[in-house]
Amino acid sequence: MVKIHADFTVETTPTKPIEGQKPGTSGIRKKTKVFMEGTYLANFVQSVFNTLQEENVPVQGGTLVVSGDGRFWNPEAIQIIIKMAFAAGVARVWCGTNGLLSTPATSAVIRMRGGKGYEPFGGFICSASHNPGGIDDDFGIKYNCENGGPAPEKLTNKMLEWTAKITELKSCSKLPDFDLSKPELYELPGGKFVEIFDCVSDHLAVLKNCFDFEGIKKLIAHPQFSMTYDSMCGVQGPYALRVFEKELGAPPGTCKNATPLPDFGGPSSAWHGHADPNLTYAVELVKEMGLNKEGNKVETGKAIPCFGAAADGDADRNMICGAQFFVSPSDSLAMIVANADLIPQFKSGLKGCARSMPTSAALDLVAKKKNIPCFEVPTGWKFFGNLMDSGTSYFPGKETYTPFICGEESFGTGADHVREKDGMWAVMAWLQILAKKTEAAGKLVSVEDVANAHWKEYGRNYYARYDYEGVDKAKAEEMFAAMEAQVGQLVGKEFQGGLKIKINDMFEYVDPVDGSISKKQGLRFIFEDNSRIIFRLSGTGVAGATVRLYLEKYEPPTGDLTQHQFEVVKPLAAIALELSKLSSYTGRDAPTVIT
Ligand code: G6P
Ligand code: ZN
């Protein structure tokens, strides 16, 4: 413990509202320079504290977690937040070593590290997730509540209101900067503390409660098994090294790009600093696994690992591959749920599951067979939190839904061990399933074996997402408005191949726990054979607009299950372009990313 004599004088400075502080799908994200300019960050942080105080959150004397994904300007932002936190009355600030905590680890720390009356009331995560980092790229921040999950909309709306009426900032500006580079407890006058702790251990402890590490260790030691894990220079590096190479005995070198960098490798990296695990950006993993960005098999001339995975900048996303085999996130979710009884976390039975609306309905088929509830929520992990917490002390007296496994098409999968999606958890879930199946079969069972068996039982929801990045925002909005104006009128319309529209609506969600309503969550065209076309505007972009087009076609177990997903959905894409007139609105004739 290091005692520091510090000056806690609270300095109050006048400020004015700054435009553009509306939280999107996941906190606020802007160009780094926007955050660095003037009091942009401070205005938002103060608005959060003001909201929390208004909501009677125990900020005074409380414990706050502050960390991030290690991107450019993270250390500076953390020091600013620490000083403002003390001015708001916080007694203890907790930071991961080097200011690093992955998003799921932050959730684990908020939920589990407490004790002795020190349960954190919440935490700030400095991250723009998979968006590139650097002085010319993106920065972001979001606030998570005492359940470890992202602040729900009713709270983020209040934060937004505060950003529009804020008049002053409070900071203990005379405090020194704290050394974040090693674990240490700093004792400050007046019973205040800053604690820097190992960023991995809390999350690891949670994972040990979920999985049978010994069983997975045996799989990893299997003479025919090999794996590779790409942290894409994001925050996952220290977690990956500890879990895979140290705890589970994977050979050194299993973990690639495992040193977190402020620009996630930057423009010179194979992924151009986009630490986003998908077929387009996870270039090194995709190549090592004997694939190309279309998901086709490519000969590498080298031994291809049996299992490959990657994480994004803040390590809440995951991508799963077998040798020359890509698992779409929607399938990964359905397959984990189908095999949940092999995961110790669910030894007393899986109570339910949930997916975001654009995620394929592969999950629904599994839930139906298992006879467990399956929820469809809007895009954004925050919507799962309410469902997970229902039936617990957070919502006393409410009906118990408690879904335990949730997932999204956007490479997010997780469970109720934390309240964020968890890239490491998803990989461990797959390894656990492979370990148990291998043990039972007496021979190595591959990712592809699991997928094939799944499709034979449930059929296959062929799926693809087209992203049109950086399009003109006004034009994109015009395109959506035109489709919205027509909602319902197209029901019954028939297209080539006999596809007939059954439902055409704008997805609206009524939270079954607190009754809150989220409108305009995506345009849906659902066909009579349950094929789906969905349009959404991304809520995580920074410049212009990103149009997302989600395509899904179901093939029953008796059908052809071995086609290429991108080929199968092409006729749907043609219909989608006709329905939206996307090319004429945006000037684009091809998507930026297909995944
Ligand atoms: C973040 C959220 C996810 C969401 C994803 C895509 O990663 O945590 O819950 O699915 O963004 O959001 P977007 O609005 O860009 O489609
Ligand atoms: Zn992320």
Side-chain angles (χ1 to χ4, degrees), residues 569-589:
V569 301
K570 267 188 184 157
L572 280 172
I575 297 174
L577 296 180
E578 185 185 327
L579 287 167
S580 60
K581 303 193 181 65
L582 183 136
S583 299
S584 66
Y585 277 106
T586 65
R588 299 291 174 88
D589 48 19

Side-chain angles (χ1 to χ4, degrees), residues 213-275:
F213 272 52
E214 285 310 308
I216 298 174
K217 221 169 164 173
K218 275 191 208 139
L219 170 77
I220 289 178
H222 191 290
Q224 271 121 42
F225 185 82
S226 53
M227 70 173 277
T228 183
Y229 189 88
D230 191 347
S231 296
M232 301 189 81
C233 301
V235 73
Q236 188 78 312
Y239 298 84
L241 287 167
R242 180 91 153 263
V243 172
F244 299 123
E245 295 190 13
K246 203 156 165 222
E247 293 282 333
L248 296 170
T254 299
C255 298
K256 314 283 186 328
N257 302 309
T259 303
L261 297 176
D263 61 355
F264 304 142
S268 62
S269 62
W271 53 94
H272 303 292
H274 286 263

Side-chain angles (χ1 to χ4, degrees), residues 91-119:
R92 267 167 237 90
V93 179
W94 289 354
C95 299
T97 352
N98 292 315
L100 299 180
L101 275 180
S102 75
T103 291
T106 307
S107 190
V109 165
I110 294 175
R111 293 173 69 78
M112 316 291 176
R113 199 182 163 80
K116 298 182 225 145
Y118 294 163
E119 281 77 20

Side-chain angles (χ1 to χ4, degrees), residues 189-203:
K192 312 225 174 197
F193 297 89
V194 171
E195 188 175 353
I196 317 297
F197 53 88
D198 169 42
C199 63
V200 181
S201 47
D202 296 284
H203 189 229

